[in-house]
Amino acid sequence: MGTHNNSTSPNALGLKSILGTENLSAKQINTILDCADHFKKLHERGEEAPASLANKTIILLFFEPSTRTRGSFELAAKRLKGNTLVLTKEMSSAEKGETLFDTAKNIEAMQPDLLVLRHPSAGSPYHLSQRLNIPIVNAGDGFHEHPTQALLDMMTIREFKKDVKGLRVLILGDIAHSRVARSDIYALQTLGAKVRVCGPPTLMPPKAEKMGVEVFNDLDEAVKDQDVIICLRIQFERLNPGQSPSRGEYSKFYGMSSRRLKLAKPDVLIMHPGPVNRGVELSPDVADGAHSVILNQVANGVLVRMALLHLLTGGDALGATR
Amino acid sequence: MSPRPVLLKGGRIFDPSQNLDLIGDIFLRNGKVEAIATSIPVSREMAAMVIDVKGLIVTPGWVDIHTHLREPGGSHKETIKTGTEAAAAGGFTSVACMANTNPVNDNPFITSFINQKVASESEINVFPIGAITKGLKGEELAEIGSMWEAGIVGISDDGKTVMNSYLMRKAMDYSKKFDIVVISHCEDSCLKGRGVMNEGFNSAKFGLRGIPRTSEDLIVARDILLAELTGARLHIAHCTTEGSVRLVREAKKRGLKVTAEATPHHLTLTDDCVGTYDTNTKVAPPLRESQDVAALREGLIDGTIDTLASDHAPHSIEDKEVEYDHAEFGMIGMESAFPLYYRQTLENGVPLSRLISAMTVKPAEIIGVPKGTLKVGMDADVTVFDPEFKYKIDKTRFRSRSQNCPFDGWDVKGKVCYTINGGKVIYRSEHLKELT
């Protein structure tokens, strides 16, 4: 599922909610990125962001642990002078047996302006968007989508490569269980990149090539000529025995090392949604090296989320260039 | 007290059990089929109920050998009373009910409880299926012999697979003594894992854990081999894959006593419809892909799929109105089954004789009951349907206590008009005019 289209929506994106990148057009993605770039320029000039969220309330409902995404949304809302309320699984009544839908309806009764949801079950933001009147932003639903991560990834690529179109991008890791991979693939393809995926066969989704990507099991082959390499976190804590090799084995065959880096283009970007398993997905020298733009991703994350919150609550399309 | 004699006049009497396809009358008296002819004169003293069934098709009462009536223990989802009312409205005069109740029907006391409830609250025939293993735990055999004495017509751990092959072999050996069918729900639990939909391109796209076809094909193959080893009668419940159909076809060619069934939803839907995360599409085994649906249809045409069965699985709103990962598996089916079955004849080349046979004589044979036929002297269980009537499926009018149905609002053709059990009219469709 992508986004919930509301043709009477007054906002600059023409969308009520952001559920995924699958159904976002290039124009919509660029509107968001241009707005984020605008906020970046203001920040660099030492100017304040507009108070687009003054007197507005953003509720963050996080049913899964998160550091950067949650913190990023909170900061984004606060920079636009909005009020935030964070509810986590432990704090909510889910522990007392309240269903997700009841929790959401109760929250809606408190009249927030927007709900950000992270949930372990795919489809949850879609269900909520059918039942609630307020905009929903999907901060990650199970293995399905993580649109704001993909958007900040696009912004980061654009920052260093000027344009996503025509780039060769490799997504590396546990593709089967990665919502980041799915959202990145849709966004990259919409913006005209050529995508390939690589990972252990046990962690590759069935019929992956039907998503329009090249599938590799051998990393040395996969990295050749790539402009961007997005490394995914391997979630050992979520895997069944038999699904993942040991850390040592994973790192040997699928870890990005300096040696492998040299097989890619000389100005290749190394990206990672975080948190990084040092020495497993990335060797420390790659993680901290000149090609790594991981920290830029984090900075761009706040800006992209500011752009989304601003646009979805009726803000103008700032910084429009295309 | 016997019901009034009934004369069904001028219908197309269609009974594959005796190769009968005749426009005429059928006369039911004392709970039995008394006569079938092009015209039956009936005297006034008989005080017969005369029903004009011109333009309608008259068949033996339909038999559904895979239903869940949820009693004991699940009465918030369905009771024997509401489940059998739903069956009658769906045109079914006989159903077999599965053992995964609470407590499980794994002993003669629960079997007797079910029989008593049926006697006092059901207007149709209900044949209980007993569990293979105690508590459906897959560890020791249930009291199969005692349950047989109490009236079970087959054994099944449906809902689950007996994963221990040694135990399944023993169950099959033991079943031979009582000559009852062993019905297998085929899903290897290790391969299934925490899967919630078919494993394929869609499961990757929708971000849901997938259940590979092999989880079914593997157990179908295993159980066929065990049936060969033991000589037991094996029935494969709800086939959903191309592989299962192929395996059953080959087993029959080799002369093994293997039969198979297909559900209305597996003949109609693919896993594309899971894209809206509607939990009414969540079912075990799951909806598959178009090549599997095509294979099931071919299997129905060539007889590999012997019978059609609804796998009517009621669930309450609390069990379904949750995230896809957490929703219970299953959908109700008896009240929407017929038009979906009939569509296979209208659109997919299944001859009417094959279709009706799969709903009457064949399922009756599998569970070993004298039903599914209009031969003179047999029970007056009759279903009459209108092959032309078009309507919209409306789940709010269902008699089932539950509403977990993905076909709500569908435009369909083919409506049950009358359901008659033992000579008594137990269902008359709302769209009909008054009887004479």
Side-chain angles (χ1 to χ4, degrees):
Chain A
M1 283 331 283
T3 48
H4 181 74
N5 258 314
N6 183 348
S7 57
T8 61
S9 169
N11 75 42
L13 286 177
L15 294 172
K16 177 171 159 247
S17 297
I18 300 284
L19 303 179
T21 51
E22 187 184 349
N23 296 326
L24 284 184
S25 67
K27 184 160 189 286
Q28 286 166 327
I29 295 176
N30 285 322
T31 303
I32 296 165
L33 299 186
D34 290 344
C35 189
D37 275 337
H38 177 81
F39 289 142
K40 179 181 241 181
K41 288 197 184 74
L42 290 179
H43 184 75
E44 282 164 356
R45 293 204 293 259
E47 287 173 39
E48 267 198 355
S52 330
L53 296 182
N55 299 319
K56 294 202 171 136
T57 303
I58 309 293
I59 296 195
L60 278 58
L61 189 53
F62 274 62
F63 277 71
E64 275 181 338
S66 165
T67 39
R68 48 186 55 62
T69 306
R70 203 184 100 186
S72 190
F73 268 108
E74 272 188 277
L75 272 182
K78 289 184 153 95
R79 291 223 179 120
L80 297 172
K81 302 289 186 289
N83 301 309
T84 60
L85 174 65
V86 175
L87 289 175
T88 61
K89 183 166 179 239
E90 297 71 38
M91 292 155 66
S92 80
S93 297
E95 301 279 294
K96 300 180 194 166
E98 190 179 43
T99 67
L100 170 65
F101 303 148
D102 275 338
T103 303
K105 278 266 165 198
N106 275 283
I107 287 171
E108 190 180 44
M110 296 192 243
Q111 302 185 325
D113 295 277
L114 187 146
L115 180 66
V116 178
L117 176 71
R118 168 170 281 197
H119 196 280
S121 289
S124 301
Y126 175 73
H127 281 306
L128 289 197
S129 76
Q130 299 288 91
R131 287 166 171 78
L132 304 185
N133 295 315
I134 51 174
I136 313 280
V137 175
N138 180 9
D141 64 327
F143 304 143
H144 182 226
E145 288 237 38
H146 191 357
T148 59
Q149 179 68 46
L151 290 166
L152 73 89
D153 286 348
M154 298 308 111
M155 181 175 175
T156 308
I157 295 173
R158 224 168 70 151
E159 183 180 335
F160 290 92
K161 300 284 183 187
K162 299 289 176 288
D163 203 345
V164 175
K165 190 162 173 192
L167 291 182
R168 304 172 78 97
V169 182
L170 168 65
I171 303 178
L172 166 64
D174 177 1
I175 310 292
H177 300 107
S178 173
R179 52 193 174 210
V180 173
R182 284 162 183 74
S183 294
D184 273 337
I185 289 170
Y186 296 134
L188 286 165
Q189 288 176 333
T190 299
L191 295 179
K194 196 159 155 48
V195 185
R196 51 173 66 165
V197 295
C198 177
T202 49
L203 297 175
M204 194 58 74
K207 308 260 182 15
E209 63 283 353
K210 274 180 96 174
M211 290 189 88
V213 301
E214 289 178 288
V215 180
F216 287 77
N217 291 133
D218 183 302
L219 184 52
D220 285 20
E221 276 304 307
V223 296
K224 286 186 182 155
D225 295 327
Q226 298 304 293
D227 295 293
V228 180
I229 301 173
I230 300 176
C231 303
L232 303 172
R233 189 170 78 88
I234 173 142
Q235 305 168 71
F236 288 105
E237 75 280 4
R238 285 210 213 195
L239 298 178
N240 301 326
Q243 275 185 312
S244 78
S246 65
R247 275 160 215 262
E249 178 120 330
Y250 185 87
S251 137
K252 184 165 161 185
F253 291 101
Y254 296 100
M256 270 314 293
S257 59
S258 315
R259 178 189 72 78
R260 284 186 170 127
L261 200 61
K262 293 198 181 77
L263 299 171
K265 288 230 179 88
D267 56 351
V268 66
L269 295 183
I270 297 293
M271 297 173 61
H272 192 301
V276 175
N277 273 320
R278 281 177 167 268
V280 180
E281 299 122 21
L282 300 173
S283 62
D285 51 331
V286 171
D288 302 328
H291 297 266
S292 163
V293 295
I294 294 173
L295 297 176
N296 302 78
Q297 285 174 275
V298 176
N300 290 336
V302 180
L303 296 162
V304 154
R305 288 165 179 128
M306 284 169 72
L308 268 180
L309 295 178
H310 168 87
L311 291 165
L312 287 177
T313 54
D316 291 331
L318 302 172
T321 55
R322 304 155 203 239
Chain B
M1 198 195 86
S2 268
R4 263 173 87 183
V6 174
L7 178 69
L8 300 173
K9 267 192 91 54
R12 179 180 176 193
I13 302 169
F14 194 89
D15 180 5
S17 77
Q18 40 180 338
N19 262 318
L20 186 67
D21 186 357
L22 156 82
I23 308 276
D25 299 351
I26 174 169
F27 185 57
L28 315 172
R29 178 148 66 164
N30 294 325
K32 301 284 181 196
V33 175
E34 190 165 292
I36 298 179
T38 42
S39 174
I40 299 176
V42 154
S43 68
R44 292 202 118 236
E45 297 92 58
M46 286 201 217
M49 184 191 295
V50 179
I51 305 179
D52 178 359
V53 291
K54 193 159 130 223
L56 307 181
I57 301 187
V58 179
T59 68
W62 300 337
V63 181
D64 187 335
I65 62 170
H66 191 146
T67 71
H68 296 269
L69 300 183
R70 303 298 189 212
E71 262 199 305
S75 52
H76 57 296
K77 303 184 193 204
E78 194 81 277
T79 61
I80 285 172
K81 180 169 196 298
T82 58
T84 54
E85 282 173 6
F92 299 97
T93 54
S94 295
V95 303
C97 59
M98 285 294 180
N100 60 340
T101 48
N102 183 17
V104 169
N105 183 16
D106 61 8
N107 66 76
F109 310 106
I110 302 294
T111 310
S112 301
F113 169 82
I114 293 173
N115 288 334
Q116 279 166 41
K117 273 267 168 175
V118 166
S120 62
E121 298 187 1
S122 168
E123 299 223 273
I124 65 165
N125 313 295
V126 178
F127 302 101
I129 291 171
I132 295 175
T133 67
K134 285 198 179 138
L136 303 178
K137 289 201 184 130
E139 291 166 4
E140 9 168 5
L141 291 185
E143 294 175 64
I144 294 168
S146 309
M147 286 195 286
W148 173 78
E149 285 182 328
I152 57 168
V153 295
I155 51 173
S156 180
D157 269 10
D158 182 68
K160 299 168 79 171
T161 294
V162 178
M163 286 299 291
N164 183 327
S165 306
Y166 170 80
L167 200 60
M168 188 59 168
R169 185 245 169 112
K170 288 290 150 192
M172 288 190 185
D173 278 330
Y174 199 49
S175 75
K176 286 185 313 197
K177 172 169 168 47
F178 310 101
D179 191 25
I180 45 173
V181 65
V182 179
I183 302 175
S184 187
H185 170 120
C186 301
E187 277 195 302
D188 182 298
S189 59
C190 302
L191 284 175
K192 176 175 180 172
R194 289 182 290 158
V196 297
M197 69 171 285
N198 176 49
E199 181 186 280
F201 176 61
N202 278 337
S203 65
K205 191 158 108 114
F206 304 151
L208 294 170
R209 289 184 179 87
I211 302 170
R213 285 183 184 78
T214 309
S215 73
E216 174 169 322
D217 300 353
L218 188 60
I219 303 298
V220 171
R222 179 197 79 164
D223 288 351
I224 288 173
L225 292 168
L226 290 176
E228 186 169 20
L229 175 64
T230 59
R233 279 197 289 130
L234 170 68
H235 177 74
I236 306 290
H238 41 49
C239 288
T240 72
T241 68
E242 203 177 10
S244 295
V245 176
R246 202 176 53 232
L247 287 163
V248 172
R249 186 178 285 127
E250 194 224 31
K252 283 174 192 250
K253 262 202 202 104
R254 295 206 341 258
L256 303 176
K257 288 181 277 184
V258 179
T259 53
E261 77 193 25
T263 67
H265 41 282
H266 290 112
L267 283 164
T268 307
L269 301 173
T270 64
D271 64 5
D272 287 340
C273 69
V274 180
T276 56
Y277 300 97
D278 176 2
T279 56
N280 291 323
T281 62
K282 185 174 177 181
V283 66
L287 302 174
R288 302 283 185 191
E289 297 178 48
S290 50
Q291 65 268 39
D292 303 291
V293 176
L296 286 173
R297 289 172 181 165
E298 269 165 42
L300 182 59
I301 292 173
D302 76 11
T304 304
I305 301 290
D306 302 80
T307 183
L308 296 165
S310 67
D311 194 6
H312 178 88
H315 285 295
S316 61
I317 293 183
E318 311 85 74
D319 292 324
K320 282 293 200 179
E321 272 272 294
V322 290
E323 302 89 317
Y324 207 88
D325 284 328
H326 301 307
E328 292 269 13
F329 289 91
M331 51 175 96
I332 48 173
M334 288 194 282
E335 292 173 274
S336 49
F338 176 64
L340 298 173
Y341 294 153
Y342 189 49
R343 216 195 213 207
Q344 306 309 317
T345 294
L346 292 175
E347 295 176 19
N348 297 315
V350 178
L352 186 65
S353 56
R354 187 71 268 287
L355 194 83
I356 300 301
S357 163
M359 296 168 68
T360 55
V361 58
K362 275 287 171 186
E365 222 171 73
I366 290 168
I367 57 170
V369 298
K371 299 287 186 186
T373 175
L374 291 176
K375 285 189 178 137
V376 167
M378 300 300 280
D379 294 335
D381 300 351
V382 188
T383 303
V384 182
F385 70 91
D386 185 336
E388 297 299 321
F389 190 74
K390 292 188 181 156
Y391 65 106
K392 236 189 208 341
I393 294 179
D394 179 0
K395 72 180 187 185
T396 63
R397 309 188 75 182
F398 282 176
R399 281 135 177 92
S400 170
R401 192 163 257 189
S402 294
Q403 303 214 314
N404 50 318
C405 168
F407 302 106
D408 194 34
W410 279 42
D411 288 305
V412 292
K413 186 169 163 181
K415 178 89 183 61
V416 173
C417 296
Y418 300 96
T419 308
I420 298 171
N421 192 38
K424 180 176 175 203
V425 178
I426 57 170
Y427 171 77
R428 176 182 315 131
S429 178
E430 296 80 16
H431 79 282
L432 294 171
K433 292 182 255 199
E434 287 302 322
L435 298 177
T436 51

